[in-house]
Amino acid sequence: MTTEISTSINIKEPRWDQGTFVGRAKHFFTVTDPRNVLLTNEQLENAHKVISDYRQGVVCPGLTEDELWRAKYIFDSAFHPDTGEKMILIGRMSAQVPMNMTITGCMMTFYKTTPAVVLWQWINQSFNAIVNYTNRSGDAPLSVNQLGTAYVSATTGAVATALGLNALTKHISPLVGRLVPFAAVAAANCINIPLMRQRELKHGIPITDENDNRLGESTNAAQQAISQVVVSRILMASPGMGIFGGLFRSVPLCVPCSLSVLPSAFGFSSMSVSRLEAELQEKIRASHPGVERVYFNKGL
């Protein structure tokens, strides 16, 4: 039974204990719930208001704890954690399963002809570019010129990689040939993600202490974040395209695969202060002498 709430609930943290597998699973499946793509702008704005008011110590009359947590997860699914802006619909966490299911299934099915490879790799990398931009870490905007250059470079490199791999497999067994889409996606992620997030590599991403106090921007943290995202995105594709893709060409298989690996692919990460740039280390030790680890949003 739901009850009235106070203003002492810490909605900066997940609702469930992240020290347990069940707690982590509940948290991530709630954030990535595909049904959130069907929410109206009115519902999103209402959740935004509930969370914004609650953070200011204002509780909407009649609001219950369950309703507060529901609003928090709607808010988290649609608004960028660093900029606060409403994210592009197909770039949101809740769109990952249906979008990846559709695109992955088509890449696994239509891989034998050059036009099909070009079309579906271009669609996939365009989608990835949107996801990479939407879920970038940090709050510094990209200029239209920077975004356009990154997009063209990323998609061109990815499609060229796919075509090259496809050409190499003309005379090998069909079973190995079915792994071409996965190999192309893995290689393309190594191109697409760093290019779409190149500003972070040049200027750094925001880092905070455990209490969410901003300590500065770090390029070392950006390098770790982007490396982790590249690896996690390849792991996301491996069950549906690598393991099962080599044996079956079944779109329905992409659904459980996407659901099983997506939760681990995004969120916050941390690193020791000693691994930051020397100048930033000195700054932090001078202003926050007790801080040993810093935290940052690695993106998706």
Side-chain angles (χ1 to χ4, degrees):
M1 182 176 179
T2 56
T3 58
E4 293 288 335
I5 60 172
S6 69
T7 57
S8 61
I9 298 174
N10 183 12
I11 58 173
K12 289 184 179 180
E13 299 295 330
R15 183 176 190 178
W16 299 281
D17 181 9
Q18 297 301 283
T20 67
F21 174 80
V22 172
R24 291 193 299 272
K26 286 182 177 179
H27 168 68
F28 289 123
F29 284 135
T30 303
V31 172
T32 59
D33 188 345
R35 293 175 298 178
N36 286 342
V37 299
L38 303 176
L39 295 172
T40 65
N41 284 331
E42 182 180 357
Q43 290 173 304
L44 296 179
E45 293 302 329
N46 181 63
H48 188 284
K49 183 179 186 304
V50 169
I51 297 303
S52 298
D53 286 349
Y54 191 82
R55 286 174 175 172
Q56 299 297 320
V58 178
V59 179
C60 298
L63 183 71
T64 64
E65 183 173 348
D66 286 341
E67 290 170 341
L68 174 67
W69 283 112
R70 174 59 179 157
K72 172 208 162 38
Y73 280 106
I74 291 176
F75 178 89
D76 288 348
S77 75
F79 296 92
H80 193 279
D82 294 328
T83 66
E85 66 184 10
K86 187 183 293 183
M87 295 186 288
I88 301 169
L89 179 62
I90 63 173
R92 298 175 190 169
M93 299 298 98
S94 49
Q96 295 306 295
V97 170
M99 291 298 296
N100 277 318
M101 176 191 71
T102 303
I103 295 173
T104 299
C106 289
M107 286 194 297
M108 290 166 59
T109 303
F110 308 110
Y111 68 93
K112 293 184 177 180
T113 66
T114 297
V117 171
V118 171
L119 174 63
W120 287 106
Q121 285 295 332
W122 174 74
I123 290 174
N124 182 53
Q125 293 310 318
S126 295
F127 170 64
N128 285 342
I130 293 173
V131 172
N132 295 336
Y133 173 75
T134 302
N135 296 279
R136 67 198 183 280
S137 178
D139 49 15
L142 279 174
S143 68
V144 174
N145 184 55
Q146 290 173 321
L147 185 59
T149 301
Y151 169 73
V152 172
S153 301
T155 52
T156 301
V159 170
T161 300
L163 289 175
L165 290 170
N166 202 52
L168 292 173
T169 60
K170 292 292 185 182
H171 307 292
I172 61 177
S173 71
L175 181 61
V176 177
R178 290 174 186 172
L179 295 175
V180 168
F182 169 67
V185 166
N189 276 327
C190 297
I191 300 171
N192 195 317
I193 296 171
L195 282 173
M196 290 304 296
R197 297 177 61 176
Q198 59 184 284
R199 193 186 188 287
E200 299 171 35
L201 294 171
K202 293 178 181 178
H203 303 287
I205 58 176
I207 57 173
T208 67
D209 62 16
E210 60 182 3
N211 296 316
D212 206 28
N213 297 309
R214 188 160 175 166
L215 304 175
E217 290 76 36
S218 169
T219 56
N220 286 5
Q223 292 171 13
Q224 176 174 309
I226 291 173
S227 297
Q228 289 176 335
V229 170
V230 168
V231 172
S232 65
R233 292 283 283 279
I234 292 173
L235 292 175
M236 282 172 62
S238 62
M241 299 185 73
I243 299 172
F244 294 112
L247 301 175
F248 310 100
R249 284 182 289 168
S250 175
V251 173
L253 280 174
C254 301
V255 180
C257 290
S258 293
L259 285 171
S260 65
V261 298
L262 180 60
S264 63
F266 69 96
F268 283 79
S269 188
S270 67
M271 67 190 306
S272 170
V273 171
S274 63
R275 295 180 58 196
L276 298 172
E277 303 89 311
E279 183 179 345
L280 190 54
Q281 288 185 43
E282 293 178 6
K283 176 184 174 183
I284 293 175
R285 284 169 177 155
S287 59
H288 299 79
V291 173
E292 295 297 331
R293 296 195 69 80
V294 295
Y295 301 84
F296 49 90
N297 174 27
K298 72 176 183 179
L300 170 63

